[in-house]
Amino acid sequence: MLELVLDLDRYRQADTKIGRIIRPVVLDEHGHGSTRYWGHLRGLPPAPDTTLVTLTPWRELTFTGAPRQPGRLVVGFQGTFHCAPNDAGCRVTHRYQLTFRRPWRWFYGAGLQDWLQREVSDEMARLAALLDPGRAVTPTP
C-alpha cells in the first residue's frame, strides 16, 4: 500500500488534490526524500509545492510541506499513512493536518474541515479500489 502511495502518478487516481507531478518521490537509503507537484485545495488556486517525504518501512509514510515554499505563507501541511497488521490484513489510518496562517485561517480553516473529512474518506475508498479492484470497501470516518 505504501509503495502505491509513493508512486504519485498512480496515487493521484485516489487523491484528487494532487495535480501534475513535477518531480516524483525520491528517497535516500534512510527513507527520507522529497517530491514536487501541483496541488490544490478547495477554494485555493492550484500551486506547485515541494513536499518532504519520510518512510518508516512497512509502518508509516509522512508527507510534510517543505519550508520556504510560497504555499507555506498560507498553510502548513502534514499527511500521514500509518499501517498496522490485523486479522484481515492491514488497517490503514490516513490523516491530514492543515495549519492556516493568519489571516487565511479565518477564510479557509473552518470551511475546509468538512470538505477535507469527506475527501479523505473518498480518497481511502479510491485507494482500496486501486489496491484490490474486486473488493468492496467501506470507509471508516
Side-chain angles (χ1 to χ4, degrees):
M1 197 282 304
L2 296 178
E3 288 178 13
L4 186 147
V5 175
L6 285 167
D7 180 356
L8 290 183
D9 249 351
R10 188 165 175 222
Y11 182 61
R12 60 189 241 170
Q13 295 173 47
D15 187 346
T16 61
K17 297 175 298 307
I18 299 172
R20 184 175 62 86
I21 310 301
I22 300 167
R23 186 179 66 240
V25 175
V26 176
L27 297 175
D28 65 15
E29 65 274 8
H30 304 291
H32 300 280
S34 66
T35 183
R36 187 161 175 80
Y37 57 87
W38 280 79
H40 56 90
L41 295 173
R42 188 177 81 175
L44 294 172
D49 198 12
T50 297
T51 302
L52 305 177
V53 181
T54 304
L55 173 66
T56 303
W58 315 115
R59 264 198 345 234
E60 191 165 81
L61 181 60
T62 303
F63 292 85
T64 304
R68 296 184 302 277
Q69 295 294 307
R72 296 302 83 72
L73 295 172
V74 176
V75 63
F77 162 79
Q78 186 172 68
T80 59
F81 293 85
H82 182 78
C83 299
N86 65 19
D87 292 339
C90 180
R91 177 180 175 87
V92 178
T93 304
H94 182 27
R95 179 175 171 253
Y96 283 106
Q97 180 178 353
L98 301 175
T99 307
F100 284 88
R101 298 190 185 282
R102 285 185 211 134
W104 309 110
R105 76 176 65 156
W106 294 300
F107 296 110
Y108 296 111
L112 281 178
Q113 187 171 350
D114 290 340
W115 170 81
L116 191 58
Q117 286 176 340
R118 284 189 310 275
E119 176 61 27
V120 170
S121 181
D122 293 347
E123 177 183 332
M124 292 304 290
R126 291 186 296 262
L127 174 60
L130 284 171
L131 288 167
D132 190 358
R135 184 174 174 186
V137 176
T138 305
T140 307

